[in-house]
Amino acid sequence: MPEKSSNRILRRPGDPDMRSLAAYRQNGGYAALEKAIRQQTPAQVIQQVVDAKLRGLGGAGRLTGEKWRIARRAEEHQKYVICNAYDADPRSLVARTLLEQSPHQVIEGLMLAAYAIGASEAYIFARSTFREGIDAVQAALREAVDAHLAGRDILGTDFSCTVNVLGADIGFMGGEETVQMALIKGRRGMPEQRPPYPAQFGLWDKPTITNNIETLANVPFIIREGATAFSSVGTASTGGTKLLTVYDYVPGSAPQVIEVPFGTPLRDILKLGGITHADDEMRAVVVGGAEGGALPISLLTTPFDFDPLEEAGAIVGSSMVEVLPENTCMVHWAMERSRYLDHESCGKCVPCRLGVKRITGILEGIVSDLGLKSDLALLDEFADYVPKGSLCGFGIQAPNALKTAKRYWPDHFTMHIEELQCPTGTCIPVRAHRFVTKHVLP
Amino acid sequence: MAISIRDTFSSITQEPTAPMVRNDVGQPSFTITIDGKVVQAYEGQTILSVANDNGITDIPNLCNDEKLEPTSACRMCLVHIEGEERPLPSCNTPAVPGMVVTTNSDELFHIRRTNLEMMLSDHNAYCQPPCQVDCPTHIDIPGYLELIAKGSMKEAARLVKEVLPFPYILGLTCPAPCQKACRRGLVEEEIAICRMHGHAAETCLLDPPVPYVQDPPTGKRVAIVGSGPAGLTCAYYLALKGHYCKIFEMQPQPGGMLRYGIPEYRLPKDMMDRELDHVWQLGVELQTNVKLGRDFTIDDLFAQGFDAVYIAIGAWTSNPLGAPGEDAEGVVNAIAFLGEKVEGKTVPVKEGDEVIVLGGGFTTFDCTRTSVRLGAKVHTVYRRSRAEMTATMEEIEDAEAEGAEITYYAQATRVIVEDGKVKGLEFQRNKLGEPDASGRRRPVPIPGSEYVVPCNTIIPAYGQKPDKSVLDEKSGVKWTKWTTVQTDPYNFMTDRKGVFSGGDCQMGAKTIIECVAQGKLGARAIHAYLSGDDMTEVSRRLELEERKPDLFDIVPYKPVEPKVKMPMLPYEERKRNFRLIELGYLKEQAQREAARCLQCVCPAAGQCDLQRYSIEHGLADNRFHDGEPDDYHDYDVDLSHSFILRDPNKCINCTQCVRVCHDVIGPDCYGMFGKGFDTIVSTPFNVSLHDTDCVSCGACVQVCPTGSLMMAERYLKRYSFALDRCIFCGDCVEVCPHGALGETPNFELSFFNRFGEDITLEKDDLANAPNYLVRQRLPRGKKDLPVMSPLVRPLPARSIRE
């Protein structure tokens, strides 16, 4: 495993500023777009992306090329591509960084995706608070359109794809692809049931591909350097690198954005992110952002990849790695996460809107020393029910915090319930009444 | 709803697809398997649509309607699909050839049930009030409590009188089974329901409201034997129906046990007479001092021209002491004792006497407290424990506080007689053994534990039975083995046609309210009989009406507000007098207490899909009760619109109303607002529907699966139809949004109607119907109704008016 990050997307300090078209072109920018449009068919582009083992870097992990293939196959003239530049977790800095630093790379990736599937309209959907990023990408877009690298008649061919830049700020749900499509249609930002999948029936019921901004930013490299070069870094199932935001628990410390190959063990990620705490100072490392799972220090050898993380109980999710200090009560942490998610839920489906609220209520009871032994079975039941019943990924991943906390630190729960004591002595009661089971009359 | 695919010819190379099969009518289709059954499906059809088309209609769903684009919000229609890891909603998943679907499994049942539990855990509403269910006469308790809280005492009394003619009397004497069921008791303390209608009635005793307009005379005559609560109630309601009623009473004054069994301190007789006047004011005649069997027989009544007879003779024969020495002087008949005291005659209890009263019911304590007031030293002895006494806690505590001594677990075995007079009573101690038929544990005597209590008067109050001797074989009326009149259990007709019976004599000695309930139902049955109805059908209908419905217990957090206690006469002031022990509420106190009612009624009860599915899934528990205010929502109800009532508390966020108003009708009056747990469907800024583009079509009401959106109760006038002026233009058919009028192919006007008989209904028709009805055991979904219904209170299967 390489010790230092192999930055393919992320600009290191000292690297040239690539926000202008000229600078980008000078460093090999838009060569991939030229190659693809002039020398390759869309099917070949898709094949390369499939061979490169590029997976959805927004957290879902679906093979990007396969998704493109489904959209390609659909017999529709009007297709759409959406670049998901919305950081669902407000603490994640990946999309913002890419928009600010590499707007042209994003545009090139977007045009390559549009060419591959045959889309004539594209959207870049960002958080409206990314003022710098949106300005940068809009400026870059103007330059690109003028140079016929985006918009009408790209590179003098009859392939056209207009790009719209949109900004919204609706909380965590804005990162979901069907939510973005709903917002584009002017509806309330609530997800739609999948299947049917947007690759077949998406925006305005037309085939729509939504790719994360980082996924798209990787595409030029694949086309320019080839699939083998791309997948030379990474693991057998996932090619390439991942941008991560690493958070330390020391108050006032700035988050670090790093780029690591897939397969890098978590311990190396922490080191690269500038975290120097000793093992016994840390309680857990949370991988995946707001819906991520907490892994104990013993699992720091876990390689950062979709499957190993899921097995351990965490997710790639919002590409965040954060460290919890040793004096964290995991029940309290799970409760805080649950509370946040309960506010961020879109409110459409019953298991998520009400199930997460009720899980929060039970956890609040446990934290306030009102827990009963039956609560543990109830939490297990709901940790199973909410993912099974929920409509979208938000609900499916919502109990991750609870599941990992219970899996790796069951003693925290039992201590709160049986001994009415916080394992770290930090919990303050937040409730006066716990839920009571009532029997129906008569 | 099919998701369409265009059949375009495009230059994009197509992947080979499976050849489309055409079915026997030429439509391209394929097959899928649902629950092992191979069914036909069309391209783009959802699984739910395929299932419904092929007769599989039991996939539950709360947020789908065939008019609307599916949204899969409720998660009830989840099904297993082979090859998919997690269950998918059938309302939104397109069928593909060869799909294998399972619609039911333990896992799916559990998911659906938890969905329902989740919805109910934040459902700040109630299906039906347990108080109304438990009240034998089914008074609309939340209804009249609301009226009292608003200050409309006479209206409240009128509402009670629809099923109970004597709210003042019952307000003082009823043991109030409604209060035991009151859900407010789960919060802090039950509402003082009984005293509420007592107060309301007291304010208008002299100017009584009549529940509904009295019918014109029908010419039928009904004879009622007995002027107790059952007989009087029966007369009251029959008189309102227009029948001539005459009551034959054996005592010198009417009232039955109300007068002769209940002491003055509990029910002052002058006030009682004022309420009994309401019966006479309807034109009911009374003849006193005539006794059935002695002065007349049932044949005589029919010979006099009566068309029906109602026997309500009560249970006036006291059960005997059942121990040797019971004939001695000093063993007093309990009923006779109470009756004579009321009449003002001399009674065998006076100052300084040592009195022993035996038993544990109301009569026991009436005798006890009367004797205490007469100056005697009273011992009350019961053979079981305090918890098994049938008298209420208040009676027992008041009796003790007034000076009586109560002993438990003792049985009288022998009277100690000297010179033919009672000198003492021997007791044997008991312990409790196995439960008997009534569920109460049987007392088992402890041998060798006898002891004697000296006394000079013994009053056994072991219960009463009807007097069997008044009706013999010739009358045609039979008796049961428990010495009660034998009748059909639901239409109260005895073995003799046209002779009905109810009250204590038919049930055995029970409470006043149960007798009133019997009288009311007896009046219904007699009216049906006089109208020529088939009595088996009447029996079936009345049985259905009286069935206990399924309920749900949902008690969100409410701020604690204690009960307003009825001020009582202090114990010191009760000595040696028979003043009424309850002092009565002030108007402000009554309003305050009535406002505590949680109003456990939902107009959608019986039509609510949420209720129906919850019953089907056996949802009896909710594990998320009694939390904190933040765990639940408490929205304001919007009743401002003339036709559509909105209660966001019952909303389950299915968004059907949003979609129907936006996609189907157009005005787009609703939206989903808020985020997370606080998401709710409402009008923009929660304004009244009047301030939106609402066209009052009621489509939102029709799709709403719960009672969140309801049609306002409408007061129907009688609309007359002048057929000779009709030009058959059909305009009325076109404009009616409810489909109440229709055209036939012959271009006549056909009278569609909701009730199977007349086209028009008066308000009085609705009022004459019983106010409480459970139409059927499992409620239907709202969408099964042919038209949008303004039901607020469920209506009977047919109109009672002929």
Side-chain angles (χ1 to χ4, degrees), chain B residues 116-237:
Chain B
L116 294 164
E117 186 185 2
M118 289 288 95
M119 286 184 256
L120 288 175
S121 79
D122 191 29
H123 197 74
N124 187 8
Y126 314 82
C127 296
Q128 273 158 326
C131 51
Q132 188 173 5
V133 171
D134 279 6
C135 172
T137 54
H138 308 307
I139 310 174
D140 179 1
I141 297 173
Y144 83 76
L145 285 178
E146 189 175 358
L147 289 165
I148 291 179
K150 282 197 273 207
S152 320
M153 300 300 170
K154 188 158 175 185
E155 257 307 297
R158 191 205 70 77
L159 187 60
V160 178
K161 274 175 173 312
E162 286 188 6
V163 288
L164 170 65
F166 311 118
Y168 174 75
I169 294 174
L170 269 305
L172 289 170
T173 55
C174 190
C178 52
Q179 285 180 204
K180 283 193 212 51
C182 177
R183 283 202 181 105
R184 188 83 201 204
L186 296 164
V187 185
E188 73 289 285
E189 219 181 335
E190 77 276 2
I191 316 272
I193 301 170
C194 194
R195 305 301 180 255
M196 287 288 101
H197 64 62
H199 173 89
E202 195 178 350
T203 58
C204 54
L205 264 185
L206 294 174
D207 174 29
V210 182
Y212 31 83
V213 172
Q214 189 168 13
D215 281 349
T218 59
K220 304 278 185 190
R221 297 158 59 86
V222 181
I224 296 168
V225 185
S227 67
L232 288 170
T233 305
C234 187
Y236 187 84
Y237 290 113

Side-chain angles (χ1 to χ4, degrees), chain B residues 457-474:
Chain B
T457 312
I458 300 175
I459 310 181
Y462 285 147
Q464 297 96 258
K465 283 205 174 41
D467 184 359
K468 201 165 156 174
S469 63
V470 302
L471 284 169
D472 56 6
E473 297 267 325
K474 268 202 294 135

Side-chain angles (χ1 to χ4, degrees), chain B residues 537-731:
Chain B
E537 177 60 20
V538 174
S539 178
R540 189 189 71 84
R541 255 192 291 139
L542 286 177
E543 193 242 324
L544 268 179
E545 281 174 28
E546 292 291 309
R547 272 202 202 164
K548 217 169 165 76
D550 290 303
L551 298 173
F552 292 99
D553 179 15
I554 308 130
V555 184
Y557 183 91
K558 284 265 180 210
V560 168
E561 194 196 318
K563 184 177 180 173
V564 179
K565 298 257 190 271
M566 167 67 75
M568 305 284 279
L569 196 62
Y571 292 122
E572 305 75 52
E573 293 188 36
R574 294 190 202 181
K575 291 190 192 312
R576 308 302 308 277
N577 67 54
F578 284 81
R579 280 163 58 191
L580 179 58
I581 51 181
E582 296 193 6
L583 298 178
Y585 284 125
L586 295 171
K587 181 163 175 178
E588 296 74 40
Q589 286 178 311
Q591 283 184 259
R592 187 76 183 266
E593 179 65 12
R596 284 175 69 235
C597 175
L598 295 175
Q599 291 294 321
C600 307
V601 266
C602 176
Q607 302 167 55
C608 172
D609 287 336
L610 181 64
Q611 183 190 26
R612 175 164 65 101
Y613 289 133
S614 302
I615 295 174
E616 282 174 19
H617 286 79
L619 198 56
D621 274 339
N622 200 301
R623 292 171 286 182
F624 299 97
H625 277 154
D626 220 16
E628 299 193 338
D630 282 341
D631 293 323
Y632 313 109
H633 291 110
D634 194 1
Y635 295 107
D636 288 328
V637 180
D638 177 15
L639 304 172
S640 58
H641 196 260
S642 320
F643 300 111
I644 298 172
L645 309 176
R646 295 198 300 122
D647 186 359
N649 292 306
K650 299 172 193 154
C651 177
I652 57 170
N653 289 343
C654 71
T655 63
Q656 282 194 74
C657 57
V658 180
R659 284 174 282 149
V660 81
C661 193
H662 176 261
D663 296 337
V664 178
I665 309 291
D668 197 13
C669 301
Y670 296 109
M672 206 149 145
F673 300 97
K675 201 164 87 158
F677 178 65
D678 295 324
T679 316
I680 191 65
V681 171
S682 182
T683 54
F685 304 106
N686 203 26
V687 300
S688 162
L689 277 169
H690 279 304
D691 298 326
T692 64
D693 291 333
C694 177
V695 297
S696 310
C697 66
C700 56
V701 173
Q702 195 186 18
V703 288
C704 180
T706 65
S708 184
L709 294 170
M710 289 297 298
M711 289 301 252
E713 183 178 348
R714 297 186 299 175
Y715 292 89
L716 298 174
K717 298 197 258 287
R718 177 177 276 277
Y719 294 107
S720 51
F721 189 77
L723 196 55
D724 53 330
R725 297 172 78 180
C726 172
I727 62 168
F728 296 105
C729 64
D731 279 353

Side-chain angles (χ1 to χ4, degrees), chain B residues 439-459:
Chain B
R440 289 185 287 171
R441 293 178 68 186
R442 194 199 312 270
V444 171
I446 303 172
S449 61
E450 290 86 351
Y451 66 99
V452 174
V453 177
C455 64
N456 44 28
T457 312
I458 300 175
I459 310 181

